Amino acid sequence: QVQLVESGGGLVQTGGFLRLSCLGTGRSFGTFAMGWFRQAPGKEREFVASIDWTGGSTYYVDSVKGRFTISGDSTKNTWYLHMKTLKPEDTAVYYCATVWQRGPLAGIDWSDSGVYWGQGTQVTVSS
């Protein structure tokens, strides 16, 4: 059974940094793309960043470009989201997700039933 477990969330001041981790278990993720999403109170879940299975292609939502970096270590089945210069508007529950990558990263439908999701980790940025 595939499981994704996020960790690394917490409370940080504006301008601070955090590194979120997502550990995948239950199968090999060699050809799986990975994404990070977040959901703030009262808002819908939004895409934050994604990385393809080779690690050579990444995408970011405009609001985090230059501040967040997504990466992965296939040998450890672990992905990361490095977040710096955090802002109060980054406060949310952060989720990782993974799916078998059939084509270009940009073409992934993260709402597909084949996507695996973690349970989320809370990030709170105080002003």
Side-chain angles (χ1 to χ4, degrees), residues 9-116:
L11 174 65
V12 64
Q13 292 184 334
T14 296
F17 63 89
L18 285 172
R19 187 186 76 167
L20 305 184
S21 299
C22 175
L23 171 64
T25 60
R27 66 157 298 139
S28 171
F29 296 92
T31 55
F32 276 57
M34 189 274 176
W36 283 96
F37 295 74
R38 65 187 180 185
Q39 186 167 20
K43 296 187 177 181
E44 293 187 353
R45 186 177 298 185
E46 69 166 345
F47 169 84
V48 176
S50 62
I51 187 168
D52 77 346
W53 71 274
T54 69
S57 181
T58 57
Y59 283 108
Y60 298 91
V61 67
D62 286 346
S63 60
V64 307
K65 285 181 180 177
R67 300 189 298 121
F68 290 12
T69 303
I70 188 171
S71 64
D73 185 342
S74 60
T75 64
K76 298 180 179 179
N77 277 354
T78 301
W79 297 270
Y80 305 98
L81 185 68
H82 302 257
M83 308 184 296
K84 65 179 183 180
T85 320
L86 284 162
K87 305 175 181 180
E89 50 264 44
D90 295 318
T91 295
V93 177
Y94 283 71
Y95 300 88
C96 63
T98 190
V99 65
W100 178 50
Q101 187 172 347
R102 297 178 178 87
L105 183 63
I108 291 178
D109 178 4
W110 293 97
S111 65
D112 188 271
S113 60
V115 177
Y116 299 100

Side-chain angles (χ1 to χ4, degrees), residues 111-127:
S111 65
D112 188 271
S113 60
V115 177
Y116 299 100
W117 291 89
Q119 294 300 306
T121 184
Q122 176 71 47
V123 171
T124 302
V125 184
S126 63
S127 57

